[in-house]
Amino acid sequence: MRILLVEDDTMIADAVTVALRDAAYAVDWVQDGMSASRTLTLGEHQLVLLDLGLPGRDGLEVLRRLRQSGNTVPVIILTARDRLEDRITGLDLGADDYLVKPFQVPELLARLRAVTRRQSGQAAPLLGNGRITLDPSTHEAHANDTTVLLSAREFSLLQALLLRPGAILTRRELEEQIYGWNEEVESNAVDFLIHGIRKKLGADSIKNIRGAGWMVEKS
Ligand code: CA
């Protein structure tokens, strides 16, 4: 899953980026509101972490324009502004959640998981298709009576598929969700990860649709 971090404070951005990468998210970072708006028109990200006090275009304005354009990408506001009216305005403009700085990384990660599962129409904390179960808080996967630990990128790929059971994701779509802007993608990276997941969870855990892409079955 790929996240856009919009934050002008370099220290916070670095800390959040490291924490998110450790938790197997692909992260791209922009430092001002105009770059955020431009980037979001590309539709490359599955979630946005949005600071409010930004140079150029305010975070609330970025959010207002984003929703006005019909973009439904989940947005979590990260802000030092603890004024009640900012929080209310942000939520009413279409933010999905907010965190007041300073925040603890485990809380940020828990809110990310919560917003992600809501977006995919699931309320239960575990992702699954009836055959495979994935725990986003531990990166453990369960299938065929065994529980295995996935690598960060294996988790990321399987999560992308399990968020949309029955849908075929192309190589490009999978790569986009696993890798950020500055990360080099080996041409066979997706095959390599799928091979690893099948080894752990069974050959039929991920289906290849010839010439189209990959999917997990809908239960
Ligand atoms: Ca700021």
Side-chain angles (χ1 to χ4, degrees):
M1 190 172 139
R2 193 158 162 198
I3 294 176
L4 182 67
L5 171 64
V6 188
E7 171 62 74
D8 62 325
D9 183 315
T10 312
M11 267 173 61
I12 295 175
D14 281 345
V16 171
T17 301
V18 168
L20 291 177
R21 290 202 175 132
D22 280 353
Y25 294 102
V27 190
D28 297 317
W29 170 38
V30 293
Q31 302 185 59
D32 65 87
M34 298 298 274
S35 308
S37 290
R38 256 199 317 275
T39 304
L40 287 168
T41 61
L42 304 174
E44 292 175 332
H45 299 90
Q46 284 81 49
L47 191 139
V48 186
L49 297 175
L50 181 65
D51 181 28
L52 292 187
L54 292 167
R57 182 178 287 171
D58 187 77
L60 288 175
E61 183 60 17
V62 172
L63 180 60
R64 197 181 62 76
R65 287 172 186 248
L66 181 74
R67 294 305 187 222
Q68 217 165 43
S69 73
N71 193 322
T72 59
V73 65
V75 174
I76 300 177
I77 290 176
L78 303 180
T79 180
R81 296 182 194 177
D82 51 2
R83 283 165 46 216
L84 181 63
E85 64 236 57
D86 284 327
R87 301 204 296 265
I88 292 171
T89 307
L91 291 169
D92 281 344
L93 280 175
D96 297 274
D97 201 356
Y98 69 87
L99 261 177
V100 175
K101 296 173 190 167
F103 52 81
Q104 301 291 315
V105 165
E107 184 177 5
L108 170 63
L109 297 176
R111 284 178 188 269
L112 274 171
R113 291 192 293 270
V115 168
T116 305
R117 64 178 179 256
R118 288 287 174 195
Q119 173 75 0
S120 65
Q122 307 199 31
L126 300 179
L127 267 177
N129 67 343
R131 223 188 132 277
I132 310 167
T133 312
L134 188 62
D135 186 341
S137 66
T138 61
H139 295 178
E140 283 176 336
H142 183 89
N144 306 322
D145 290 324
T146 38
T147 300
V148 293
L149 188 63
L150 299 179
S151 74
R153 289 205 159 127
E154 286 171 352
F155 168 79
S156 200
L157 188 147
L158 189 57
Q159 183 187 39
L161 291 170
L162 280 174
L163 283 169
R164 295 171 60 196
I168 299 169
L169 272 74
T170 65
R171 179 182 301 276
R172 175 90 192 276
E173 285 167 334
L174 288 170
E175 284 172 355
E176 274 185 4
Q177 296 202 31
I178 302 170
Y179 297 94
W181 288 329
N182 303 319
E183 295 175 279
E184 201 175 318
V185 188
E186 303 272 340
S187 62
N188 60 353
V190 166
D191 307 272
F192 184 75
L193 291 171
I194 286 173
H195 178 74
I197 295 168
R198 282 176 171 159
K199 236 170 122 181
K200 291 177 181 173
L201 294 175
D204 53 352
S205 52
I206 297 176
K207 277 187 115 174
N208 176 232
I209 311 299
R210 228 167 213 296
W214 294 267
M215 63 173 274
V216 294
E217 278 177 332
K218 204 170 180 162
S219 57

